[in-house]
Amino acid sequence: MADFLTDVETLRERARREMDKGPVTEAYGADLTRVLQVLNEALATEIVCTLRYKRHYYTASGIYAEPVAAEFLEHAAEEQQHADKLAQRIVQLGGQPDFNPDTLTSRAHAQYDASADLLDMIKEDLVAERVAIASYTEIAKWLGDGDPTTRRVFEELLAKEEEHADDLRGLLERIPQDKKPG
């Protein structure tokens, strides 16, 4: 049975020689350039979702608006936390987080929404959460063992996005669908 670990002297020499690479070592098994691109797309997605939830929070109205708006605000804060985690990971990997507002919506997986109707807001937020769930599931699978740390970041985000989708589905179940709450 062969040893799985490179000898310690070789590891030490590589670590000293490539200090400028930070946490990215020879053991890193993913396409770093593509990983940084995917992370920046996810960052754009989370920023767009934060903005969409904030807009919905401030513009929600009608008889059901108060509890729904509270949910929108909570989700906005959590989406911002997701964006922060992604930006931190991009920097850890030696990349630059892309916050350029001119290209956010074109890079994001989810869409911005300016619905005025509360029910439409909930539906559009649920669609966006489902897009994030599908995207992040694919990304986590694609990363596999090539970058387990980034994979775990996406798995954490995925769990929260699933929770958001469940929350929104619950709101839809509580609001009469035959009426158009304002």
PDB file of all heavy atoms in Angstrom, residues 48-71:
ATOM      1  N   VAL A  48     -28.416  40.485  -6.237  1.00  0.00           N
ATOM      2  CA  VAL A  48     -29.703  40.736  -6.894  1.00  0.00           C
ATOM      3  C   VAL A  48     -30.849  40.252  -5.999  1.00  0.00           C
ATOM      4  O   VAL A  48     -31.867  40.939  -5.856  1.00  0.00           O
ATOM      5  CB  VAL A  48     -29.755  40.087  -8.294  1.00  0.00           C
ATOM      6  CG1 VAL A  48     -31.171  40.084  -8.856  1.00  0.00           C
ATOM      7  CG2 VAL A  48     -28.808  40.814  -9.247  1.00  0.00           C
ATOM      8  N   CYS A  49     -30.674  39.108  -5.370  1.00  0.00           N
ATOM      9  CA  CYS A  49     -31.716  38.594  -4.468  1.00  0.00           C
ATOM     10  C   CYS A  49     -31.894  39.511  -3.258  1.00  0.00           C
ATOM     11  O   CYS A  49     -33.025  39.752  -2.830  1.00  0.00           O
ATOM     12  CB  CYS A  49     -31.385  37.172  -4.030  1.00  0.00           C
ATOM     13  SG  CYS A  49     -31.594  35.948  -5.336  1.00  0.00           S
ATOM     14  N   THR A  50     -30.796  40.010  -2.716  1.00  0.00           N
ATOM     15  CA  THR A  50     -30.884  40.956  -1.605  1.00  0.00           C
ATOM     16  C   THR A  50     -31.690  42.184  -2.025  1.00  0.00           C
ATOM     17  O   THR A  50     -32.614  42.615  -1.306  1.00  0.00           O
ATOM     18  CB  THR A  50     -29.477  41.395  -1.147  1.00  0.00           C
ATOM     19  OG1 THR A  50     -28.735  40.249  -0.731  1.00  0.00           O
ATOM     20  CG2 THR A  50     -29.554  42.401  -0.007  1.00  0.00           C
ATOM     21  N   LEU A  51     -31.373  42.731  -3.176  1.00  0.00           N
ATOM     22  CA  LEU A  51     -32.074  43.924  -3.667  1.00  0.00           C
ATOM     23  C   LEU A  51     -33.547  43.647  -3.933  1.00  0.00           C
ATOM     24  O   LEU A  51     -34.411  44.470  -3.613  1.00  0.00           O
ATOM     25  CB  LEU A  51     -31.387  44.451  -4.931  1.00  0.00           C
ATOM     26  CG  LEU A  51     -29.962  44.968  -4.737  1.00  0.00           C
ATOM     27  CD1 LEU A  51     -29.321  45.272  -6.086  1.00  0.00           C
ATOM     28  CD2 LEU A  51     -29.934  46.177  -3.824  1.00  0.00           C
ATOM     29  N   ARG A  52     -33.840  42.483  -4.503  1.00  0.00           N
ATOM     30  CA  ARG A  52     -35.227  42.133  -4.788  1.00  0.00           C
ATOM     31  C   ARG A  52     -36.030  42.010  -3.487  1.00  0.00           C
ATOM     32  O   ARG A  52     -37.128  42.557  -3.362  1.00  0.00           O
ATOM     33  CB  ARG A  52     -35.294  40.815  -5.584  1.00  0.00           C
ATOM     34  CG  ARG A  52     -36.702  40.488  -6.085  1.00  0.00           C
ATOM     35  CD  ARG A  52     -36.821  39.099  -6.705  1.00  0.00           C
ATOM     36  NE  ARG A  52     -36.447  38.083  -5.747  1.00  0.00           N
ATOM     37  CZ  ARG A  52     -35.320  37.376  -5.786  1.00  0.00           C
ATOM     38  NH1 ARG A  52     -34.459  37.539  -6.756  1.00  0.00           N
ATOM     39  NH2 ARG A  52     -35.051  36.493  -4.857  1.00  0.00           N
ATOM     40  N   TYR A  53     -35.469  41.304  -2.513  1.00  0.00           N
ATOM     41  CA  TYR A  53     -36.158  41.155  -1.225  1.00  0.00           C
ATOM     42  C   TYR A  53     -36.331  42.503  -0.529  1.00  0.00           C
ATOM     43  O   TYR A  53     -37.364  42.751   0.085  1.00  0.00           O
ATOM     44  CB  TYR A  53     -35.404  40.193  -0.301  1.00  0.00           C
ATOM     45  CG  TYR A  53     -35.746  38.744  -0.514  1.00  0.00           C
ATOM     46  CD1 TYR A  53     -34.759  37.816  -0.824  1.00  0.00           C
ATOM     47  CD2 TYR A  53     -37.051  38.286  -0.363  1.00  0.00           C
ATOM     48  CE1 TYR A  53     -35.067  36.477  -0.990  1.00  0.00           C
ATOM     49  CE2 TYR A  53     -37.369  36.948  -0.529  1.00  0.00           C
ATOM     50  CZ  TYR A  53     -36.372  36.045  -0.842  1.00  0.00           C
ATOM     51  OH  TYR A  53     -36.691  34.724  -1.009  1.00  0.00           O
ATOM     52  N   LYS A  54     -35.333  43.369  -0.610  1.00  0.00           N
ATOM     53  CA  LYS A  54     -35.448  44.687   0.008  1.00  0.00           C
ATOM     54  C   LYS A  54     -36.564  45.488  -0.646  1.00  0.00           C
ATOM     55  O   LYS A  54     -37.365  46.135   0.035  1.00  0.00           O
ATOM     56  CB  LYS A  54     -34.125  45.462  -0.123  1.00  0.00           C
ATOM     57  CG  LYS A  54     -33.068  45.007   0.834  1.00  0.00           C
ATOM     58  CD  LYS A  54     -33.398  45.383   2.244  1.00  0.00           C
ATOM     59  CE  LYS A  54     -32.214  46.084   2.861  1.00  0.00           C
ATOM     60  NZ  LYS A  54     -32.480  46.514   4.216  1.00  0.00           N
ATOM     61  N   ARG A  55     -36.619  45.457  -1.977  1.00  0.00           N
ATOM     62  CA  ARG A  55     -37.689  46.170  -2.670  1.00  0.00           C
ATOM     63  C   ARG A  55     -39.044  45.624  -2.252  1.00  0.00           C
ATOM     64  O   ARG A  55     -39.968  46.370  -1.956  1.00  0.00           O
ATOM     65  CB  ARG A  55     -37.543  46.073  -4.182  1.00  0.00           C
ATOM     66  CG  ARG A  55     -38.625  46.915  -4.863  1.00  0.00           C
ATOM     67  CD  ARG A  55     -38.797  46.626  -6.329  1.00  0.00           C
ATOM     68  NE  ARG A  55     -39.738  47.576  -6.903  1.00  0.00           N
ATOM     69  CZ  ARG A  55     -41.054  47.480  -6.793  1.00  0.00           C
ATOM     70  NH1 ARG A  55     -41.608  46.499  -6.106  1.00  0.00           N
ATOM     71  NH2 ARG A  55     -41.849  48.376  -7.353  1.00  0.00           N
ATOM     72  N   HIS A  56     -39.157  44.311  -2.206  1.00  0.00           N
ATOM     73  CA  HIS A  56     -40.422  43.700  -1.819  1.00  0.00           C
ATOM     74  C   HIS A  56     -40.782  44.057  -0.376  1.00  0.00           C
ATOM     75  O   HIS A  56     -41.956  44.292  -0.069  1.00  0.00           O
ATOM     76  CB  HIS A  56     -40.368  42.192  -2.025  1.00  0.00           C
ATOM     77  CG  HIS A  56     -40.355  41.801  -3.469  1.00  0.00           C
ATOM     78  ND1 HIS A  56     -40.157  40.504  -3.871  1.00  0.00           N
ATOM     79  CD2 HIS A  56     -40.518  42.524  -4.605  1.00  0.00           C
ATOM     80  CE1 HIS A  56     -40.213  40.452  -5.195  1.00  0.00           C
ATOM     81  NE2 HIS A  56     -40.418  41.666  -5.662  1.00  0.00           N
ATOM     82  N   TYR A  57     -39.796  44.112   0.502  1.00  0.00           N
ATOM     83  CA  TYR A  57     -40.044  44.494   1.889  1.00  0.00           C
ATOM     84  C   TYR A  57     -40.649  45.901   1.960  1.00  0.00           C
ATOM     85  O   TYR A  57     -41.648  46.124   2.646  1.00  0.00           O
ATOM     86  CB  TYR A  57     -38.737  44.442   2.694  1.00  0.00           C
ATOM     87  CG  TYR A  57     -38.838  45.126   4.030  1.00  0.00           C
ATOM     88  CD1 TYR A  57     -39.567  44.556   5.075  1.00  0.00           C
ATOM     89  CD2 TYR A  57     -38.218  46.349   4.257  1.00  0.00           C
ATOM     90  CE1 TYR A  57     -39.669  45.189   6.307  1.00  0.00           C
ATOM     91  CE2 TYR A  57     -38.308  46.985   5.487  1.00  0.00           C
ATOM     92  CZ  TYR A  57     -39.035  46.403   6.499  1.00  0.00           C
ATOM     93  OH  TYR A  57     -39.137  47.023   7.714  1.00  0.00           O
ATOM     94  N   TYR A  58     -40.048  46.830   1.254  1.00  0.00           N
ATOM     95  CA  TYR A  58     -40.499  48.217   1.332  1.00  0.00           C
ATOM     96  C   TYR A  58     -41.795  48.473   0.576  1.00  0.00           C
ATOM     97  O   TYR A  58     -42.523  49.412   0.916  1.00  0.00           O
ATOM     98  CB  TYR A  58     -39.407  49.173   0.815  1.00  0.00           C
ATOM     99  CG  TYR A  58     -38.291  49.321   1.807  1.00  0.00           C
ATOM    100  CD1 TYR A  58     -37.035  48.792   1.540  1.00  0.00           C
ATOM    101  CD2 TYR A  58     -38.490  49.976   3.016  1.00  0.00           C
ATOM    102  CE1 TYR A  58     -36.009  48.923   2.454  1.00  0.00           C
ATOM    103  CE2 TYR A  58     -37.466  50.101   3.941  1.00  0.00           C
ATOM    104  CZ  TYR A  58     -36.222  49.575   3.654  1.00  0.00           C
ATOM    105  OH  TYR A  58     -35.218  49.693   4.568  1.00  0.00           O
ATOM    106  N   THR A  59     -42.104  47.674  -0.421  1.00  0.00           N
ATOM    107  CA  THR A  59     -43.294  47.959  -1.231  1.00  0.00           C
ATOM    108  C   THR A  59     -44.467  47.024  -0.954  1.00  0.00           C
ATOM    109  O   THR A  59     -45.538  47.210  -1.528  1.00  0.00           O
ATOM    110  CB  THR A  59     -42.950  47.916  -2.739  1.00  0.00           C
ATOM    111  OG1 THR A  59     -42.479  46.612  -3.077  1.00  0.00           O
ATOM    112  CG2 THR A  59     -41.923  48.972  -3.087  1.00  0.00           C
ATOM    113  N   ALA A  60     -44.294  46.040  -0.085  1.00  0.00           N
ATOM    114  CA  ALA A  60     -45.388  45.123   0.239  1.00  0.00           C
ATOM    115  C   ALA A  60     -46.539  45.897   0.879  1.00  0.00           C
ATOM    116  O   ALA A  60     -46.323  46.731   1.758  1.00  0.00           O
ATOM    117  CB  ALA A  60     -44.900  44.029   1.185  1.00  0.00           C
ATOM    118  N   SER A  61     -47.740  45.616   0.411  1.00  0.00           N
ATOM    119  CA  SER A  61     -48.908  46.279   0.987  1.00  0.00           C
ATOM    120  C   SER A  61     -50.091  45.339   0.944  1.00  0.00           C
ATOM    121  O   SER A  61     -50.090  44.339   0.244  1.00  0.00           O
ATOM    122  CB  SER A  61     -49.211  47.576   0.218  1.00  0.00           C
ATOM    123  OG  SER A  61     -49.548  47.281  -1.117  1.00  0.00           O
ATOM    124  N   GLY A  62     -51.099  45.683   1.710  1.00  0.00           N
ATOM    125  CA  GLY A  62     -52.313  44.885   1.748  1.00  0.00           C
ATOM    126  C   GLY A  62     -52.491  44.195   3.084  1.00  0.00           C
ATOM    127  O   GLY A  62     -51.638  44.289   3.977  1.00  0.00           O
ATOM    128  N   ILE A  63     -53.573  43.481   3.198  1.00  0.00           N
ATOM    129  CA  ILE A  63     -53.960  42.867   4.471  1.00  0.00           C
ATOM    130  C   ILE A  63     -52.940  41.828   4.960  1.00  0.00           C
ATOM    131  O   ILE A  63     -52.768  41.641   6.158  1.00  0.00           O
ATOM    132  CB  ILE A  63     -55.386  42.274   4.371  1.00  0.00           C
ATOM    133  CG1 ILE A  63     -55.906  41.890   5.748  1.00  0.00           C
ATOM    134  CG2 ILE A  63     -55.416  41.100   3.413  1.00  0.00           C
ATOM    135  CD1 ILE A  63     -57.389  41.590   5.779  1.00  0.00           C
ATOM    136  N   TYR A  64     -52.263  41.171   4.051  1.00  0.00           N
ATOM    137  CA  TYR A  64     -51.295  40.127   4.429  1.00  0.00           C
ATOM    138  C   TYR A  64     -49.852  40.635   4.458  1.00  0.00           C
ATOM    139  O   TYR A  64     -48.924  39.868   4.669  1.00  0.00           O
ATOM    140  CB  TYR A  64     -51.384  38.956   3.446  1.00  0.00           C
ATOM    141  CG  TYR A  64     -52.755  38.344   3.370  1.00  0.00           C
ATOM    142  CD1 TYR A  64     -53.620  38.649   2.325  1.00  0.00           C
ATOM    143  CD2 TYR A  64     -53.190  37.461   4.357  1.00  0.00           C
ATOM    144  CE1 TYR A  64     -54.891  38.090   2.262  1.00  0.00           C
ATOM    145  CE2 TYR A  64     -54.461  36.900   4.296  1.00  0.00           C
ATOM    146  CZ  TYR A  64     -55.302  37.220   3.254  1.00  0.00           C
ATOM    147  OH  TYR A  64     -56.549  36.666   3.192  1.00  0.00           O
ATOM    148  N   ALA A  65     -49.664  41.916   4.222  1.00  0.00           N
ATOM    149  CA  ALA A  65     -48.324  42.451   3.989  1.00  0.00           C
ATOM    150  C   ALA A  65     -47.390  42.362   5.199  1.00  0.00           C
ATOM    151  O   ALA A  65     -46.197  42.093   5.025  1.00  0.00           O
ATOM    152  CB  ALA A  65     -48.407  43.895   3.514  1.00  0.00           C
ATOM    153  N   GLU A  66     -47.891  42.591   6.399  1.00  0.00           N
ATOM    154  CA  GLU A  66     -46.991  42.687   7.543  1.00  0.00           C
ATOM    155  C   GLU A  66     -46.156  41.427   7.777  1.00  0.00           C
ATOM    156  O   GLU A  66     -44.919  41.506   7.827  1.00  0.00           O
ATOM    157  CB  GLU A  66     -47.772  43.063   8.804  1.00  0.00           C
ATOM    158  CG  GLU A  66     -46.861  43.420   9.956  1.00  0.00           C
ATOM    159  CD  GLU A  66     -47.641  43.918  11.165  1.00  0.00           C
ATOM    160  OE1 GLU A  66     -48.690  44.570  10.989  1.00  0.00           O
ATOM    161  OE2 GLU A  66     -47.181  43.652  12.278  1.00  0.00           O
ATOM    162  N   PRO A  67     -46.765  40.242   7.903  1.00  0.00           N
ATOM    163  CA  PRO A  67     -45.921  39.055   8.127  1.00  0.00           C
ATOM    164  C   PRO A  67     -45.073  38.692   6.897  1.00  0.00           C
ATOM    165  O   PRO A  67     -43.961  38.202   7.038  1.00  0.00           O
ATOM    166  CB  PRO A  67     -46.920  37.944   8.453  1.00  0.00           C
ATOM    167  CG  PRO A  67     -48.226  38.411   7.909  1.00  0.00           C
ATOM    168  CD  PRO A  67     -48.187  39.914   7.955  1.00  0.00           C
ATOM    169  N   VAL A  68     -45.595  38.959   5.710  1.00  0.00           N
ATOM    170  CA  VAL A  68     -44.851  38.656   4.487  1.00  0.00           C
ATOM    171  C   VAL A  68     -43.645  39.589   4.374  1.00  0.00           C
ATOM    172  O   VAL A  68     -42.532  39.157   4.071  1.00  0.00           O
ATOM    173  CB  VAL A  68     -45.766  38.751   3.245  1.00  0.00           C
ATOM    174  CG1 VAL A  68     -44.970  38.588   1.962  1.00  0.00           C
ATOM    175  CG2 VAL A  68     -46.885  37.699   3.325  1.00  0.00           C
ATOM    176  N   ALA A  69     -43.848  40.873   4.652  1.00  0.00           N
ATOM    177  CA  ALA A  69     -42.754  41.833   4.594  1.00  0.00           C
ATOM    178  C   ALA A  69     -41.661  41.471   5.603  1.00  0.00           C
ATOM    179  O   ALA A  69     -40.463  41.594   5.301  1.00  0.00           O
ATOM    180  CB  ALA A  69     -43.268  43.247   4.841  1.00  0.00           C
ATOM    181  N   ALA A  70     -42.055  41.005   6.772  1.00  0.00           N
ATOM    182  CA  ALA A  70     -41.073  40.597   7.776  1.00  0.00           C
ATOM    183  C   ALA A  70     -40.218  39.440   7.234  1.00  0.00           C
ATOM    184  O   ALA A  70     -38.999  39.404   7.450  1.00  0.00           O
ATOM    185  CB  ALA A  70     -41.769  40.191   9.072  1.00  0.00           C
ATOM    186  N   GLU A  71     -40.853  38.527   6.535  1.00  0.00           N
ATOM    187  CA  GLU A  71     -40.132  37.403   5.918  1.00  0.00           C
ATOM    188  C   GLU A  71     -39.193  37.912   4.825  1.00  0.00           C
ATOM    189  O   GLU A  71     -38.048  37.469   4.714  1.00  0.00           O
ATOM    190  CB  GLU A  71     -41.128  36.391   5.341  1.00  0.00           C
ATOM    191  CG  GLU A  71     -40.536  35.041   5.042  1.00  0.00           C
ATOM    192  CD  GLU A  71     -40.179  34.253   6.288  1.00  0.00           C
ATOM    193  OE1 GLU A  71     -40.902  34.327   7.296  1.00  0.00           O
ATOM    194  OE2 GLU A  71     -39.150  33.556   6.247  1.00  0.00           O
TER     195      GLU A  71
END
